[in-house]
Amino acid sequence: MRVLTAPGVTTVVALDQGDVVGFAELFSDGELQAFLANMVVDETHRGEGIGRAMDNEALRLAGGERIDLLSQDDATDFYRTFPHFEKPGFRLYPFYQDSTASS
């Protein structure tokens, strides 16, 4: 709960007759930049526009002009349906020691 309600975080929840069917967690500076940290839609409700609606509503509430995100491979086709630019990205774990990482 603390993660989803921390300062700078906007979280929207999708309900279907009172049942949670999705949520999106967005970090934003309120002006330009936003980052979609997490988004989940129940697999039985995918393809209904819930993910798109949550992304749009989270950005509207948080403020910003664009959303950056990292995606699981199975979600890239969904994100490609938005107006976008694709850029390579990384998720850094500064305190994780990986013997296979290059220096």
Side-chain angles (χ1 to χ4, degrees), residues 61-87:
L61 292 170
E65 296 292 321
R66 65 177 184 234
I67 298 173
D68 287 339
L69 60 98
L70 298 173
S71 177
Q72 298 293 334
D73 290 342
D74 60 351
T76 55
D77 288 341
F78 167 72
Y79 291 114
R80 286 184 175 126
T81 67
F82 288 83
H84 71 282
F85 295 101
E86 287 191 40
K87 297 180 178 188

Side-chain angles (χ1 to χ4, degrees), residues 4-85:
L4 299 176
T5 60
V9 175
T10 299
T11 302
V12 295
V13 178
L15 301 173
D16 180 23
Q17 299 182 18
D19 294 329
V20 174
V21 296
F23 79 93
E25 174 192 16
L26 189 78
F27 309 146
S28 177
D29 61 18
E31 296 295 328
L32 176 66
Q33 182 61 38
F35 179 80
L36 182 63
N38 290 295
M39 186 181 72
V40 176
V41 176
D42 183 280
E43 63 187 352
T44 63
H45 289 276
R46 293 181 186 159
E48 298 175 8
I50 293 170
R52 181 175 303 277
M54 288 191 305
D55 285 350
N56 290 338
E57 181 65 2
L59 185 61
R60 185 189 72 76
L61 292 170
E65 296 292 321
R66 65 177 184 234
I67 298 173
D68 287 339
L69 60 98
L70 298 173
S71 177
Q72 298 293 334
D73 290 342
D74 60 351
T76 55
D77 288 341
F78 167 72
Y79 291 114
R80 286 184 175 126
T81 67
F82 288 83
H84 71 282
F85 295 101

